[in-house]
Amino acid sequence: MGKLIIDAHSHLWLKQDTVIDGKRILSLKNGRSIFFDEEVQMLPPFMIDGKNTAEVFLSNMDYAQVGGAVVVQELIDGCQNDYLADVQRRYPDRFFCMGMAWNIDEAKTVVEMGLKGIAFPGHRITQPLTDLMPVFKLMEDNNMVCSMCLGDDEKQIAQMREIIQECPQLRVAIGHFGMPTTDSFRSQVMLAREGEKVMVESGGITWLYNPEYYPFPTAVRRIREAAEWVGWDRLMWGSDYPRTITAITYRMSYDFVSKSKELSEEEKTLFLGENAKTFYGFSNLPELPYIKNMSE
């Protein structure tokens, strides 16, 4: 394709094994998991051991010509700090791995582990986000990235605005593309106007528009709409790998953008990789040739 492609929102884990609100989340075999007490297809069925590893992801990335990926965390996967620190050490040029922390001591441990940021599933946090201000200050002082997925209403917008104002040098990536299927979409995206280091990434957008399915025309329109509000230089592509590839392939999670006739080549270039390269500081990315399918 000839474009730099960087995934700004992905997940890795060795095993899901946690409880949220009294309900179990646990990796099973054949890509399945117990998810809030219900058995679901969490991973593609060929991932038979329940592990969502860096090596399998790298194989997908190489095939889809994705040079680098940002790995965030979610409560539903359990804390993966130890595994992601190991991934960061082994594959420093391909991954930008984030830790999970809920207080200043845990955040300091994340820094010591060599992780590049901290991911906050804000939509699962009941306390005010501003209670974590010491953590955000620590991240700002250590040039870390804050990945923040907000709730699908307006409750956390003012809190996030205060954090951005109090920590002007903190790099912030608003996740899930500001929840474009909800009423808070514009407010979340407009947070990118609150600071020079605030971006919006599209992790999970194909999941949000899964009922519409590929090529996700409404998702493309929402991307254009967000660009009208904050500019193309504030938007990044993200896949939400691996959960989204139970419905579509990894390449499909971005080529609905790369093949769209609604976007210019310059807009695609910024959105698919160049903005993320600058924001996260990726370097030494490999050149990945296109390998044609046997069926072509």
Side-chain angles (χ1 to χ4, degrees):
M1 189 176 64
K3 284 185 172 60
L4 171 67
I5 308 175
I6 294 174
D7 190 341
H9 189 117
S10 66
H11 300 273
L12 295 174
W13 62 79
L14 284 183
K15 183 178 182 180
Q16 294 174 313
D17 187 1
T18 189
V19 176
I20 298 177
D21 297 331
K23 295 187 177 183
R24 191 69 187 274
I25 300 168
L26 179 67
S27 296
L28 303 176
K29 297 187 296 183
N30 301 329
R32 298 179 183 180
S33 292
I34 299 298
F35 183 63
F36 292 107
D37 293 341
E38 178 186 9
E39 185 171 330
V40 301
Q41 194 72 44
M42 181 71 65
L43 302 170
F46 55 77
M47 297 169 74
I48 61 175
D49 59 2
K51 295 180 180 179
N52 170 33
T53 65
E55 288 73 25
V56 172
F57 191 20
L58 281 169
S59 181
N60 274 283
M61 290 167 63
D62 289 351
Y63 170 72
Q65 297 174 279
V66 175
V70 179
V71 184
V72 300
Q73 295 201 52
E74 232 278 30
L75 279 178
I76 61 175
D77 302 324
C79 182
Q80 302 291 325
N81 285 355
D82 289 339
Y83 178 56
L84 294 188
D86 180 56
V87 170
Q88 188 66 65
R89 286 191 294 269
R90 289 189 289 126
Y91 305 107
D93 295 335
R94 300 298 299 275
F95 291 117
F96 186 106
C97 295
M98 298 202 182
M100 183 176 285
W102 299 105
N103 56 55
I104 192 67
D105 291 332
E106 291 178 356
K108 289 178 180 178
T109 299
V110 168
V111 174
E112 294 168 357
M113 295 175 76
L115 291 161
K116 302 290 187 178
I118 298 177
F120 297 91
H123 56 305
R124 302 190 191 279
I125 298 175
T126 56
Q127 70 186 98
L129 298 178
T130 48
D131 287 356
L132 297 169
M133 192 68 76
V135 175
F136 297 121
K137 289 285 189 181
L138 177 73
M139 295 170 66
E140 182 183 34
D141 291 342
N142 285 275
N143 193 30
M144 302 178 83
V145 172
C146 168
S147 169
M148 178 64 71
C149 293
L150 297 170
D152 57 4
D153 54 32
E154 299 281 341
K155 292 180 181 179
Q156 295 175 324
I157 303 299
Q159 299 168 22
M160 199 64 223
R161 186 179 298 116
E162 181 178 346
I163 291 164
I164 292 167
Q165 292 171 350
E166 287 292 317
C167 305
Q169 297 305 309
L170 176 64
R171 288 178 288 165
V172 177
I174 303 297
H176 294 166
F177 211 61
M179 295 300 291
T181 57
T182 72
D183 291 339
S184 69
F185 175 44
R186 190 176 190 279
S187 296
Q188 290 201 34
V189 171
M190 289 298 288
L191 287 169
R193 291 278 193 180
E194 298 293 331
E196 295 181 358
K197 298 181 181 294
V198 183
M199 304 285 282
V200 182
E201 46 90 344
S202 73
I205 197 168
T206 61
W207 162 66
L208 292 170
Y209 290 101
N210 185 63
E212 181 180 84
Y213 203 63
Y214 186 90
F216 309 107
T218 305
V220 174
R221 289 195 293 271
R222 293 293 174 265
I223 292 168
R224 287 185 56 84
E225 193 172 15
E228 291 172 1
W229 295 334
V230 299
W232 281 101
D233 61 329
R234 295 303 181 96
L235 307 180
M236 304 180 294
W237 168 70
S239 71
D240 211 5
Y241 174 99
R243 282 178 268 268
T244 49
I245 64 167
T246 57
I248 57 175
T249 68
Y250 186 46
R251 184 184 291 274
M252 289 168 70
S253 68
Y254 74 76
D255 74 0
F256 79 96
V257 172
S258 65
K259 293 179 179 178
S260 173
K261 296 181 180 179
E262 302 298 317
L263 308 176
S264 72
E265 290 305 308
E266 181 181 2
E267 291 164 350
K268 294 174 185 178
T269 295
L270 291 173
F271 182 72
L272 290 175
E274 290 296 337
N275 289 340
K277 179 183 179 182
T278 300
F279 182 72
Y280 293 104
F282 278 97
S283 60
N284 301 317
L285 293 173
E287 292 186 12
L288 299 170
Y290 177 75
I291 305 298
K292 73 175 185 177
N293 293 324
M294 181 272 290
S295 58
E296 289 183 69

